[in-house]
Each structure stands twice: as structure tokens, then as C-alpha cells.
């Protein structure tokens, strides 16, 4: 019932992981111990990696479901701390010519902005590659305070970086960098989605403003994507002034919404086409 491998040097009938006969000598025992410890360590690392990936997948759902940039930053930090067991994590996003911390577990005095071409964060952003820094004191790109000694910095596409730091030299390895890179991928995709949605909203608002300001009566008809034969209608201010009854945000069949047979035939023909 123990996780510690049991080796026996000599003869035994017990249920053990391995046994080395005493006739084989101390050298054979040493080789057996080395092999067993190495195998056990690899197994432990695999178990730990699988546990982190499982925890990370749960946080991925929360990240991809975020509706604001602030939520993405907070969820990314939560995932780094909870799923990946990092203590100090920060998400910093590009704002003009600077990379500015937006969510962090670092003390307030350690939350430093830097230019987009400055420091480990700037290099990460410019190169688009995850940076593993064993000793920040020996890295002239570092803008961290002296208490921070090592870091991993992963890019969030064009949007910024996510970084984890430690007070110890060489605290992170390639596997830590890989996990942070996976997390950054989820966050980057969500930030890109929010960016696309924002652009679509701006375009919709511009079109709506143009539609509303048209000097002639106009009506907008959109087919319902779910219910067959149903549409949504909206009219502009000139239409309302001319014909009175407003159809703004009306929803139903063409026959129930549009006032004349000519209009119904016209819109039905265009929608069918």
C-alpha cells in the first residue's frame, strides 16, 4: 500500500518491486536502484502532468466562455495558480506603446508596465515565442524587481503576455513552459473571439446609424434563422414619420407584419432568393 518502491538485496519470497541476489554484488544493486528510481520518477512526472492537464481542461471551459477581456485575464491567472500550481502569475495586455498588467497575484509594487519592445515581456511579444529565464539577474531584458529570480513568459498573440515568476533561480523547466503555453493558447483564442465580436458590433452600430439617418423611409427585414417563415422587421425614423405605425423590432410572419401585399411579395421574393 506504499508508493515507495521496495527493493531487496538478497533472497526473499516477499512481494517486492525487485530483488537483487547478494551474489550479484553491490554494483548490480546500485544499477537496480538507479533504474527503479528513474522509472518511478518518470511515472510520478507523468501522473502529475496528467493531473495538470485535466485541471487545465476544466479551466479552459471557463476561459473560452468569458464575455469580457477582464474576465479572460482573471480566469487565466486563476488557471495558472489552481491548475498549474504557480504562485506568482500576471497577465499583461498591450495598451498603445506599453504592456500593462491587467490581472496578477503579485504584490501591487511588483506590477510594472513596460514598453512593447522592453524587457522579457517585450521580447516575448515581439518574438511570439515562450521565454524560459533561469536567472533574471543575469538577463538584461528584465524589468522585474530584484526579489524575482526566474520566470516563464508566454505570448497571448498580439494582445499581450502571461508570465509566472519565482524568487528562486531555475525554478521552472521546459514542462512548465509547455503548460503555460497551452494555457496562453486558450486565452489568446478567447481574446481573438472578443476582438472579432467587438469589430462586428462596431460595424453593426455604424450600419444602424446609417440606416436610421436615411432621409427616405426605409424598412429592414431579417429572416429568423430558427423559425421558418418568421422575420424581424425594423423601420427608420423617416418611415415612422411618413407611415406612422412603427415596426421597430417587430417579429412574426411577413403577412402579419407588412401592411401591403406588394411589400409582402417584394420582401418574400428577396428572402427566397
Amino acid at each position: 500500500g506504499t508508493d515507495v518502491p521496495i527493493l531487496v538485496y538478497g533472497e526473499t519470497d516477499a512481494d517486492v518491486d525487485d530483488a537483487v541476489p547478494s551474489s550479484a554484488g553491490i554494483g548490480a544493486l546500485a544499477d537496480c536502484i538507479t533504474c527503479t528510481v528513474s522509472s518511478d520518477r518518470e511515472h510520478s512526472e507523468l501522473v502529475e502532468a496528467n493531473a495538470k492537464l485535466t485541471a487545465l481542461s476544466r479551466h479552459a471551459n471557463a476561459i473560452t466562455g468569458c464575455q469580457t477581456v477582464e474576465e479572460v485575464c482573471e480566469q487565466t491567472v486563476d488557471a495558472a495558480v489552481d491548475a498549474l500550481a504557480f504562485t506568482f502569475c500576471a497577465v499583461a495586455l498591450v495598451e498603445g506603446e506599453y504592456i500593462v498588467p491587467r490581472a496578477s497575484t503579485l504584490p501591487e509594487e511588483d506590477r510594472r508596465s513596460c514598453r512593447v519592445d522592453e524587457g522579457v515581456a517585450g521580447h516575448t511579444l515581439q518574438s511570439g515565442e515562450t521565454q524560459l529565464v533561469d536567472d533574471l539577474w543575469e538577463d538584461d531584458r528584465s524589468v522585474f524587481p530584484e526579489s524575482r529570480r526566474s520566470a516563464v513568459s508566454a505570448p497571448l498573440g498580439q494582445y499581450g503576455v502571461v508570465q509566472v515568476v519565482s524568487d528562486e533561480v531555475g525554478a521552472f523547466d521546459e514542462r512548465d513552459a509547455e503548460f503555460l503555453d497551452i494555457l496562453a493558447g486558450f486565452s489568446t483564442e478567447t481574446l481573438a473571439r472578443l476582438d472579432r465580436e467587438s469589430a462586428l458590433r462596431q460595424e453593426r452600430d455604424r450600419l444602424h446609424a446609417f440606416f436610421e439617418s436615411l432621409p427616405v423611409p426605409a424598412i429592414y427585414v431579417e429572416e429568423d434563422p430558427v423559425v421558418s417563415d418568421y422575420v424581424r422587421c425594423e423601420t427608420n425614423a423617416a418611415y415612422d414619420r411618413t407611415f406612422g405605425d412603427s415596426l421597430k423590432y417587430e417579429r412574426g410572419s411577413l403577412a402579419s407584419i407588412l401592411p401591403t401585399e406588394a411589400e409582402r411579395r417584394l420582401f418574400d421574393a428577396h428572402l427566397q432568393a
Side-chain angles (χ1 to χ4, degrees):
T2 178
D3 292 331
V4 179
I6 300 177
L7 306 179
V8 172
Y9 182 56
E11 304 297 329
T12 180
D13 294 327
D15 184 15
V16 297
D17 292 280
D18 206 348
V20 178
S22 54
S23 58
I26 297 299
L29 175 62
D31 291 341
C32 183
I33 292 174
T34 300
C35 182
T36 300
V37 170
S38 177
S39 176
D40 187 67
R41 180 177 293 127
E42 290 178 0
H43 175 73
S44 297
E45 290 176 351
L46 182 60
V47 170
E48 181 184 3
N50 287 336
K52 286 185 177 181
L53 286 173
T54 300
L56 197 56
S57 68
R58 293 195 297 269
H59 282 276
N61 293 329
I63 292 172
T64 55
C66 289
Q67 296 303 312
T68 66
V69 171
E70 288 71 23
E71 288 179 2
V72 176
C73 296
E74 293 292 345
Q75 288 289 345
T76 300
V77 170
D78 288 347
V81 173
D82 181 50
L84 303 182
F86 295 128
T87 302
F88 298 117
C89 176
V91 173
L93 301 183
V94 175
E95 296 182 11
E97 295 299 315
Y98 289 86
I99 305 174
V100 181
R102 297 288 292 271
S104 177
T105 60
L106 288 163
E108 193 68 35
E109 60 270 18
D110 288 358
R111 303 181 186 186
R112 301 183 178 185
S113 300
C114 67
R115 297 186 62 85
V116 293
D117 57 355
E118 180 186 14
V120 176
H123 183 68
T124 303
L125 184 68
Q126 299 294 329
S127 68
E129 297 179 353
T130 298
Q131 307 294 311
L132 177 60
V133 184
D134 286 331
D135 193 346
L136 292 168
W137 289 7
E138 296 182 356
D139 194 312
D140 58 8
R141 302 169 301 171
S142 176
V143 293
F144 284 104
E146 291 186 355
S147 59
R148 310 304 173 197
R149 295 301 303 270
S150 57
V152 182
S153 179
L156 297 172
Q158 63 181 330
Y159 305 103
V161 299
V162 53
Q163 297 183 317
V164 294
V165 295
S166 172
D167 296 344
E168 299 178 6
V169 175
F172 307 108
D173 56 23
E174 291 293 341
R175 180 163 291 182
D176 293 319
E178 290 174 5
F179 280 127
L180 192 66
D181 205 39
I182 293 172
L183 173 59
F186 295 135
S187 303
T188 302
E189 179 54 37
T190 305
L191 290 171
R193 172 179 62 79
L194 293 176
D195 203 16
R196 292 192 297 269
E197 291 175 352
S198 177
L200 288 173
R201 282 194 299 271
Q202 291 177 11
E203 181 65 19
R204 180 199 63 195
D205 292 343
R206 284 196 295 268
L207 289 173
H208 182 79
F210 170 75
F211 171 76
E212 187 66 23
S213 64
L214 283 172
V216 295
I219 181 170
Y220 170 83
V221 178
E222 179 181 4
E223 192 172 27
D224 192 306
V226 178
V227 183
S228 178
D229 298 328
Y230 265 60
V231 297
R232 182 177 72 86
C233 290
E234 182 178 348
T235 57
N236 70 348
Y239 186 102
D240 297 339
R241 288 194 300 269
T242 304
F243 298 106
D245 294 335
S246 174
L247 298 179
K248 286 188 186 301
Y249 309 114
E250 287 290 331
R251 180 179 177 277
S253 65
L254 281 172
S256 67
I257 293 178
L258 298 178
T260 69
E261 181 61 31
E263 286 179 300
R264 291 194 285 269
R265 286 199 306 268
L266 175 65
F267 282 102
D268 184 57
H270 280 287
L271 288 173
Q272 292 300 324

